[in-house]
Amino acid sequence: MESGDGRDPEDIAYEDRIRTSSLSELEDMSVHVDPGEYPHRARKLIEEIGRRRAGPEPGFDRRTVQKAVPAGLPRRLWASLIDLFIHLLILGALFLAGWSVVQLVSSPGSDGPLPAVSARRGPSPLQQFAAGLLAGDAAAWKNREQWIQVGLVTLSFLIFRALFTVPAWVRTGSTPGMREVGIRLIRTTGESASVNRALIRFWGQFLLFGLTLGVSAFWMVWDPRTQALHDKLTDTCVVREQRTWEKPDEDRVYD
């Protein structure tokens, strides 16, 4: 039975479902609808997806920035710990995969001679170095070679983290940890951070932290805009953002 305007009631119900579904749900629906069998529904899906994608850009204008709630130290610290945990998981998985490939490639064939196995006894040089530092050993503190190795490992890990963090700041303003706790990085003008600004902020936070013995990070505690020193350096701020389940229905449809 058709409605008063000649449309199929099932199509009308489908259009209502389209209007109340989120963007990710619409994209999933478009994969399963058959354009040949349901051309009207497929067309409505395409139109709605295009409208949503051209909808309100994620960003803040000057008035919104002024009304935004700055993110405090607990949320920012918790987001950093979540991101660190995720990065360590990824790094551990990559290390395990690489170690498995090396073991597979270097394993002897059925007819080949077994390689000589050398078992190292006692702590490694790095463990000895760390133990010497904790014990206050002057020789360990002056071990230039070990300090260089520690510095290279630390630098490599920070570069690895930058590959995940900087693109996330530029693209959406939020890393996975920041999205989980409901915070976002923006410029004080309301715009998203550029690549150069995000790079300066990422490396600046560690450099300033070392130069100020941690004061740069805790500057936000007494700063009226809750900015750390690396935020002031790059003219950025971290503000609260509603998570998906905290948004009203009219905003949630764009998720």
Side-chain angles (χ1 to χ4, degrees), residues 165-171 173 185-187 189 191-202 234-236:
T165 304
V166 172
W169 283 347
V170 174
R171 184 173 179 270
L185 173 71
I186 59 171
R187 291 192 58 186
T189 56
E191 304 167 349
S192 300
S194 62
V195 176
N196 291 338
R197 197 174 296 271
L199 282 170
I200 294 174
R201 185 182 189 274
F202 179 84
T234 55
D235 193 32
T236 57

Side-chain angles (χ1 to χ4, degrees), residues 197-254:
R197 197 174 296 271
L199 282 170
I200 294 174
R201 185 182 189 274
F202 179 84
W203 292 108
Q205 63 183 335
F206 299 107
L207 180 60
L208 290 174
F209 187 89
L211 293 176
T212 62
L213 301 180
V215 174
S216 64
F218 293 98
W219 190 270
M220 69 181 77
V221 175
W222 54 80
D223 186 82
R225 302 179 68 178
T226 321
Q227 287 180 294
L229 288 185
H230 52 271
D231 291 320
K232 291 185 174 297
L233 175 67
T234 55
D235 193 32
T236 57
C237 57
V238 180
V239 297
R240 289 286 310 277
E241 184 176 53
Q242 287 182 319
R243 288 163 283 192
T244 300
W245 61 87
E246 298 173 333
K247 295 180 181 178
D249 293 338
E250 58 270 19
D251 293 335
R252 192 179 302 170
V253 295
Y254 288 94

Side-chain angles (χ1 to χ4, degrees), residues 31-218:
V31 175
H32 296 90
V33 68
D34 185 357
E37 186 175 359
Y38 302 102
H40 175 76
R41 298 183 184 183
R43 186 179 72 255
K44 287 295 183 181
L45 271 173
I46 294 174
E47 291 175 355
E48 186 66 18
I49 290 175
R51 186 182 71 83
R52 298 280 183 87
R53 288 176 174 171
E57 292 293 330
F60 295 79
D61 57 22
R62 169 60 69 176
R63 290 176 299 175
T64 308
V65 172
Q66 294 173 349
K67 296 179 181 179
V69 178
L73 179 60
R75 283 182 181 269
R76 294 176 66 164
L77 180 60
W78 184 235
S80 298
L81 292 176
I82 293 175
D83 287 329
L84 177 61
F85 179 73
I86 294 174
H87 295 161
L88 289 175
L89 279 181
I90 296 173
L91 190 62
L94 292 175
F95 176 80
L96 182 60
W99 181 84
S100 300
V101 170
V102 171
Q103 292 297 315
L104 183 63
V105 172
S106 62
S107 60
S110 57
D111 298 330
L114 292 175
V117 178
S118 59
R120 176 174 51 82
R121 297 180 180 275
S124 66
L126 182 59
Q127 290 173 328
Q128 294 176 358
F129 174 66
L133 294 179
L134 294 176
D137 185 1
W141 284 95
K142 296 178 181 179
N143 192 331
R144 185 167 175 267
E145 181 180 349
Q146 287 294 340
W147 278 116
I148 292 176
Q149 292 182 9
V150 170
L152 290 176
V153 170
T154 303
L155 179 61
S156 300
F157 181 63
L158 291 180
I159 292 175
F160 175 80
R161 295 200 65 187
L163 294 176
F164 292 92
T165 304
V166 172
W169 283 347
V170 174
R171 184 173 179 270
T172 63
S174 299
T175 60
M178 296 172 71
R179 283 195 296 271
E180 177 63 26
V181 302
I183 60 178
R184 183 183 179 201
L185 173 71
I186 59 171
R187 291 192 58 186
T188 56
T189 56
E191 304 167 349
S192 300
S194 62
V195 176
N196 291 338
R197 197 174 296 271
L199 282 170
I200 294 174
R201 185 182 189 274
F202 179 84
W203 292 108
Q205 63 183 335
F206 299 107
L207 180 60
L208 290 174
F209 187 89
L211 293 176
T212 62
L213 301 180
V215 174
S216 64
F218 293 98

